[in-house]
Amino acid sequence: MKICCIGAGYVGGTSMAVMAQQCLTSNEVESITVVDMSESRIAAWNSPDYDLPIYEPGLVEILKACRNKNLFYSCDLDSAIKEADIIFVAVNAPTKTSGIGAGMAQDVVYCEQSARHIAQIATRPKIVVEQGSFPVQTAQVMARILQENGCPGHVVLSNPVFYSQGSAMDDMKHPSRILIGGGSTTDVQQKALKTLVDLYKTWVPADKIITTNLWSAELAKLVANALLAQRISSINSISALCEQTAADITEISKAIGMDQRIGPHHLQAGVGFGKSRFRKDISSLVYLCQSFGLQECATYWQSVITINEFQKRRFAHKIVRYMFQTVTHKKLCMLGYAFKKNTGDVRETPSMYVLNDLLQEEAYVHIYDPKVKRQDMLAELDTVCGVNADNTPNLDQMAVTAKDPYAACHQAHAILLLTDWDEFKTYDYAKLYQNMTKPAFLFDGRNLLDHEELRRIGFEVHAIGKHDPHDIGLQD
């Protein structure tokens, strides 16, 4: 069979790469073509030096093994649709910024456009698979468009992906589960469902492949992300209480994480959750609850977002408060900008919100992240926070991206650790301290470092969920 994926973003780019690798020696799959209307994005996927549009450990190695063998990237959408037996739709579904449901509902315009284009181009029935996180009933909408505009026989399935950025390649090779949602029990639907199941059986054990109805598959993805985000917001709310008492959030997380009913995952306090899917999926869930008149449920899930906003804002306030109530014209070194280690993804990263608050305070922030590209950082800052060179003429001087962490820290008043990159634990902090403006502050937003050792060096250290032994009792 031939496979086409519409959308060369994070989901389409990574999932199809793993599928190509796992099917490289399979007689079932002849080719996988990832298509996108963005010529620059496709050019990046095809770049000879593998300067890819996203960073994910292990991705380059897969492309070296599969690209132009059974994995292809192209802007020729029509040819890919005509030739494909299965079409994955992995387009973006951004949160609406205006109109009904603004700020909560997802805009599925690209899903609808994809369905209409398939209906227009396809000359024979296709198995169309929505992949990613889309609102409930998106698959039904796509199915109706295909049925009423194209040749009969198209089948739409839902196949949301479950993986963690930074370990996505391994998560997809050895998934905890593959979820496939189908529609009715007609022979055509069941045949399509079996075709997709058999495709995944190429490398996934049968007992890890779950089949459900369309609603369950679509809603399961929203709920999974909502529950993960809920755990993060829950532990972060306790971190604020710890800072006002003698409790230690690390000790609390360890103690409750050993409870088998709870488990240790997503109980590490931090500056707040990033990952665009968390906020987007919770907002979509809130809107869905409101749409069915379940206001109490909507309020409950909205509180997860509220705590997250509180945590990000609280960290910036902590920086200003301890640095003598002002960071105006002070140089601050921000270590890490991605929302987590092992990814260059800056969508909804807490670092962006902290940076925005510090820019409002007229600080000069020098940012070092080993994988984040400046153009991505500035694009997200503009889209989400409305900060750009037009309304902030000296933005290039106020938000500087550094290629070397030691240069970024040179003569800085403070180090702000915002991403849990492993390399940050290996730096010579005595050397960093020696070249900083005194008193030298360090704000650990990930509880990554040895705070007592840093204090012995001379740093004034403040961390998430840790009571400062030298705190004089100032309140936010």
Side-chain angles (χ1 to χ4, degrees):
M1 69 177 74
K2 290 187 177 181
I3 296 172
C4 163
C5 177
I6 302 175
Y10 197 96
V11 172
T14 55
S15 64
M16 292 301 109
V18 172
M19 185 174 290
Q21 183 190 44
Q22 299 303 310
C23 296
L24 190 58
T25 59
S26 170
N27 294 326
E28 296 293 325
V29 178
E30 179 181 342
S31 65
I32 298 175
T33 303
V34 183
V35 292
D36 200 288
M37 299 301 292
S38 171
E39 293 183 0
S40 61
R41 181 177 294 173
I42 292 299
W45 281 108
N46 284 321
S47 63
D49 59 352
Y50 295 94
D51 184 17
L52 306 180
I54 63 172
Y55 171 75
E56 186 68 36
L59 180 58
V60 169
E61 288 72 19
I62 291 178
L63 262 64
K64 287 180 178 179
C66 300
R67 196 173 66 182
N68 298 326
K69 293 184 178 69
N70 70 336
L71 177 63
F72 305 89
Y73 295 91
S74 171
C75 288
D76 190 352
L77 177 60
D78 292 359
S79 294
I81 289 175
K82 287 178 182 178
E83 295 177 4
D85 300 290
I86 301 178
I87 301 174
F88 287 86
V89 178
V91 296
N92 189 23
T95 301
K96 295 179 67 175
T97 57
S98 61
I100 299 173
M104 293 185 293
Q106 289 178 255
D107 192 341
V108 294
V109 59
Y110 301 122
C111 297
E112 180 175 339
Q113 289 176 357
S114 297
R116 292 189 182 280
H117 201 80
I118 293 169
Q120 179 185 359
I121 299 300
T123 56
R124 58 186 174 87
K126 309 288 184 180
I127 299 174
V128 179
V129 185
E130 62 162 11
Q131 189 175 54
S133 297
F134 298 125
V136 174
Q137 290 187 303
T138 301
Q140 292 180 354
V141 170
M142 295 175 68
R144 182 176 178 186
I145 291 171
L146 290 166
Q147 291 164 6
E148 297 188 15
N149 291 276
C151 62
H154 292 298
V155 176
V156 179
L157 304 175
S158 178
N159 176 217
V161 294
F162 298 91
Y163 58 78
S164 178
Q165 286 176 250
S167 60
M169 300 297 97
D170 190 61
D171 291 345
M172 289 187 226
K173 291 177 188 176
H174 310 286
S176 59
R177 74 282 199 199
I178 295 294
L179 179 61
I180 304 172
S184 66
T185 57
T186 64
D187 290 342
V188 174
Q189 285 275 354
Q190 289 302 304
K191 183 178 179 181
L193 194 65
K194 183 178 184 304
T195 299
L196 190 56
V197 168
D198 288 344
L199 173 61
Y200 277 111
K201 280 184 178 179
T202 304
W203 77 95
V204 180
D207 61 354
K208 291 191 175 183
I209 301 176
I210 305 169
T211 58
T212 67
N213 65 39
L214 286 173
W215 268 73
S216 294
E218 291 173 323
L219 189 55
K221 176 62 175 179
L222 299 184
V223 174
N225 280 342
L227 287 174
L228 293 176
Q230 177 199 53
R231 287 171 67 94
I232 297 172
S233 283
S234 294
I235 201 66
N236 280 340
S237 71
I238 301 303
S239 74
L241 180 61
C242 288
E243 291 171 28
Q244 300 301 318
T245 65
D248 186 310
I249 195 62
T250 303
E251 295 174 346
I252 291 174
S253 295
K254 181 178 180 180
I256 63 176
M258 293 180 71
D259 188 325
Q260 293 182 358
R261 299 167 300 173
I262 299 173
H265 302 295
H266 286 76
L267 286 179
Q268 290 70 46
V271 192
F273 58 75
K275 190 177 183 180
S276 62
R277 287 262 49 103
F278 278 0
R279 182 184 179 91
K280 189 183 297 184
D281 286 352
I282 297 173
S283 295
S284 185
L285 187 58
V286 169
Y287 185 69
L288 184 65
C289 291
Q290 290 179 342
S291 299
F292 286 98
L294 304 172
Q295 187 54 50
E296 290 81 2
C297 299
T299 301
Y300 175 81
W301 288 111
Q302 181 61 42
S303 67
V304 175
I305 297 177
T306 300
I307 288 294
N308 196 53
E309 297 303 311
F310 163 73
Q311 188 76 348
K312 292 182 293 189
R313 188 173 62 251
R314 197 171 68 84
F315 189 73
H317 289 182
K318 178 194 290 284
I319 294 167
V320 175
R321 176 163 62 96
Y322 281 106
M323 293 185 68
F324 314 123
Q325 300 290 353
T326 180
V327 292
T328 301
H329 298 165
K330 291 179 180 177
K331 178 181 178 180
L332 308 177
C333 170
M334 182 178 287
L335 292 181
Y337 197 83
F339 82 89
K340 63 179 292 188
K341 68 177 181 180
N342 293 333
T343 181
D345 197 342
V346 299
R347 294 172 297 172
E348 287 293 334
T349 175
S351 304
M352 172 179 58
Y353 294 95
V354 174
L355 174 61
N356 183 47
D357 286 345
L358 296 175
L359 292 179
Q360 299 299 318
E361 296 286 336
E362 299 186 42
Y364 293 98
V365 186
H366 288 238
I367 306 157
Y368 171 75
D369 188 291
K371 293 299 177 182
V372 169
K373 299 177 180 178
R374 181 172 177 81
Q375 62 265 31
D376 294 336
M377 182 191 81
L378 293 181
E380 186 74 359
L381 188 64
D382 184 14
T383 300
V384 178
C385 301
V387 177
N388 53 59
D390 292 333
N391 56 36
T392 311
N394 56 343
L395 181 59
D396 285 344
Q397 289 74 47
M398 296 184 70
V400 178
T401 47
K403 295 183 178 181
D404 174 67
Y406 290 86
C409 292
H410 185 69
Q411 293 186 342
H413 291 256
I415 295 173
L416 323 175
L417 196 150
L418 288 165
T419 308
D420 55 339
W421 286 100
D422 290 335
E423 71 174 68
F424 294 166
K425 294 184 287 188
T426 67
Y427 291 171
D428 185 344
Y429 283 91
K431 181 178 179 180
L432 292 176
Y433 175 80
Q434 182 179 1
N435 294 314
M436 290 176 65
T437 300
K438 308 301 187 298
F441 296 85
L442 192 147
F443 296 88
D444 189 349
R446 295 286 185 166
N447 288 331
L448 190 70
L449 306 178
D450 184 335
H451 300 153
E452 291 308 311
E453 176 61 25
L454 290 169
R455 290 187 176 109
R456 281 192 287 270
I457 291 172
F459 283 101
E460 180 175 326
V461 180
H462 301 279
I464 294 291
K466 308 277 188 173
H467 182 71
D468 180 11
H470 305 295
D471 196 332
I472 58 175
L474 293 174
Q475 300 296 316
D476 285 320

